[in-house]
Amino acid sequence: MPDETPARMTAREAVTLLTGPAGFAEHLPPPRELPADGPLGWAGYDAARERARTRTGEEESVVYGTGVVGDRACVLLSFEFGFLGGSLGQRTGDRLEAAYALALTRRLPLLALVATGGSRMQEGMVALTQLQRVAAAATRLRAAGLPQIAVVRDPTTGGGWATVGAGADVVLALPGAQVGFAGSRVRPADADPYAYSAEGQFAAGQVDAVVPADELAATVTHWLRALGPHVAAGAQPSGTGPRDPSGAPEADAPGAGAPDAAPPRPHDPPPAAPVPRALPVPSAPAVPSATARLPETGREAVARARDARRPRAEAYLADYFAVRLPLHGDRCGGTDPGLLCGFGLRADGSAVAYVAQCGTATRPAGYRTAARTIRLADRLGVPVLTLVDTPGAANDAEAERAGAGAAIAETFAAIAAARVPVTTLVIGEGGSGGALALAAPGNTHVTADSYFSVIAPELAAAILKRPPSETGATADQLRLRPQDLVDLGFARSIVG
């Protein structure tokens, strides 16, 4: 864990970091009267709230409203840790639910700037049940096809992390922030502090990126452009306008946080992602002018796909996108460096989600991350591009214990259920079901330096009890060359 704890921004400083000084219009929920010393009659609670109000200038631990980040309109909510540790009480729940409802009614993404210690002890179970309200509000926003981005600040723990933070579609963290369900005073004394840091959560696949404060506005702007809805802030969609000249917060109408605040709105299917162009392979005696002709034999097709000089996923993605925004981890504690997932912006500004194998055996965490990416793109109406290149799914004992079969099944299901178009390009090895799980039925294309097979020819020969000298003939029988794949109806075209 980093040696230095990052300076804690106030709620409004965090908002200003992203919107600038004039880019935020605060809203307020309908007022709620509480009994003296709160719902539990906790002695001294009112006095503690008054001290927090005097110290921070805030009425509660969350402020929310509409704003503009870069050129994108959104609803922002920001926690004030200085107000009773950013804890969630009943009035906090009112503000959080109203923020989600505001995003829903105005068809805007929700951006949460989180710094909280969890539920407010002085309100007991009344405070704890606010997590259910937040979960329900987030579910309504999710059903309406609107994105949620969380920026977790220092500290983000407890129920606030488990709902507003970890429950977001994209989770960004500030360097050195304490992030975890267990706060510093309730975790085991011998617990590794790194596990509760932004960097530790990134390593465990629970955070998508650790972003320095001076890069946060640009990063969030890119994410808002990629996730949509794809309307520029200048258009001021659904009543989003400039701040009241008086500076007074705008009061939301009673019932603004009700479950029927706005119905879900399905997306129109977007255009399919364009097929990437084939990238050249450096000429070499073993692979002469690889993109100029098709392989003559199955053995040659396999050799060309396995050639170390062939362009890999990283090169294809760099050629295809102007901006890439990675999604990191399966949210189950696993990552797979051999599978690249995320959203990207092309040179024309269009957004495409991507899942790209890097030539290694794909691990269960990779398939789960792929499924997560495809489901998110489908919900937000963003087309998907998959790049297939793997000798097959990882088959070691660790992969089995991690649920390889279930993870592959989850990926098959994500593509089968997708309502957005999925475009696939096979750029290298297509190794059996571990590759097929990422291939789009009816919209798969291949390069001249690829093959796809029900099984690797070496393994097929071994199963058939053939000598190694017959591996080439077995490869021919499998009809795995690019032109074979087109003839068999598996591939639509050979790119390049």
Side-chain angles (χ1 to χ4, degrees):
M1 186 170 178
D3 295 334
E4 296 183 4
T5 300
R8 287 176 178 167
M9 292 180 282
T10 68
R12 294 181 191 274
E13 287 172 344
V15 169
T16 301
L17 179 67
L18 294 174
T19 67
F24 179 67
E26 186 178 0
H27 285 237
L28 292 175
R32 176 192 293 270
E33 293 298 325
L34 294 179
D37 281 330
L40 305 186
W42 187 288
Y45 179 43
D46 283 350
R49 285 180 53 86
E50 182 58 36
R51 288 193 298 272
R53 184 182 300 112
T54 300
R55 182 170 59 252
T56 65
E58 303 294 351
E59 297 294 320
E60 249 305 334
S61 59
V62 164
V63 296
Y64 77 98
T66 55
V68 176
V69 179
D71 59 350
R72 298 284 118 176
C74 60
V75 169
L76 298 99
L77 67 87
S78 187
F79 282 76
E80 176 52 67
F81 189 77
F83 193 102
L84 300 179
S87 58
L88 282 74
Q90 193 170 24
R91 284 175 172 167
T92 320
D94 292 342
R95 291 179 176 227
L96 292 172
E97 189 176 59
Y100 283 89
L102 183 63
L104 187 62
T105 56
R106 298 200 178 185
R107 300 291 305 171
L108 292 172
L110 183 121
L111 174 58
L113 311 176
V114 191
T116 174
S119 299
R120 191 168 296 169
M121 179 176 57
Q122 296 92 332
E123 293 190 22
M125 283 302 300
V126 173
L128 190 64
T129 57
Q130 302 311 304
L131 304 181
Q132 296 172 320
R133 291 178 71 188
V134 173
T139 298
R140 291 191 289 272
L141 202 61
R142 191 172 293 114
L146 294 167
Q148 302 170 44
I149 301 172
V151 176
V152 291
R153 300 148 49 206
D154 183 60
T156 297
T157 62
W161 163 239
T163 52
V164 185
D169 299 318
V170 176
V171 181
L172 309 176
L174 290 177
Q178 179 189 170
V179 181
F181 185 66
S184 59
R185 297 184 182 181
V186 298
R187 67 181 66 138
D190 60 350
D192 178 8
Y194 181 75
Y196 304 86
S197 69
E199 292 75 11
Q201 296 286 4
F202 175 79
Q206 308 292 354
V207 165
D208 292 302
V210 178
V211 184
D214 60 357
E215 299 175 14
L216 190 60
T219 300
V220 171
T221 299
H222 286 317
W223 270 114
L224 291 172
R225 290 171 180 166
L227 299 182
H230 300 288
V231 180
Q236 296 179 355
S238 303
T240 301
R243 188 185 178 99
D244 185 328
S246 69
E250 180 177 339
D252 289 329
D260 59 354
R265 181 185 301 180
H267 294 283
D268 294 328
V275 180
R277 68 189 183 101
L279 299 181
V281 178
S283 59
V287 190
S289 302
T291 58
R293 62 174 181 84
L294 296 174
E296 295 180 2
T297 66
R299 182 191 292 274
E300 182 189 352
V302 173
R304 283 168 58 166
R306 293 175 178 173
D307 190 282
R309 292 160 295 189
R310 172 183 55 78
R312 295 314 205 250
E314 182 65 40
Y316 275 93
L317 294 175
D319 185 67
Y320 193 81
F321 290 112
V323 175
R324 275 187 288 157
L325 303 161
L327 289 173
H328 181 73
D330 63 357
R331 296 300 188 260
C332 298
T335 63
D336 182 357
L339 193 78
L340 303 176
C341 295
F343 282 64
L345 295 169
R346 306 204 70 205
D348 63 359
S350 61
V352 175
Y354 63 87
V355 175
Q357 292 171 316
C358 299
T360 58
T362 303
R363 306 204 63 79
Y367 289 113
R368 284 191 289 265
T369 307
R372 172 193 166 208
T373 302
I374 294 163
R375 287 194 298 261
L376 177 59
D378 186 54
R379 177 158 54 81
L380 300 180
V382 177
V384 177
L385 170 69
T386 66
L387 300 179
V388 170
D389 183 11
T390 180
N395 59 5
D396 54 87
E398 181 184 350
E400 290 297 333
R401 285 192 292 268
I408 295 169
E410 188 178 352
T411 308
F412 270 118
I415 286 186
R419 297 157 295 181
V420 297
V422 180
T423 301
T424 297
L425 180 63
V426 185
I427 62 173
E429 292 194 78
S432 194
L436 190 67
L438 291 176
N443 196 24
T444 291
H445 307 259
V446 294
T447 67
D449 304 305
S450 67
Y451 78 88
F452 219 117
S453 179
V454 64
I455 189 172
E458 297 89 348
L459 298 179
I463 290 172
L464 296 171
K465 299 181 180 180
R466 294 176 176 176
S469 60
E470 295 189 24
T471 298
T474 304
D476 290 337
Q477 282 185 291
L478 288 168
R479 297 196 64 192
L480 48 71
R481 300 174 303 166
Q483 58 269 44
D484 296 325
L485 301 174
V486 173
D487 290 343
L488 291 170
F490 170 74
R492 290 182 60 181
S493 72
I494 300 172
V495 176

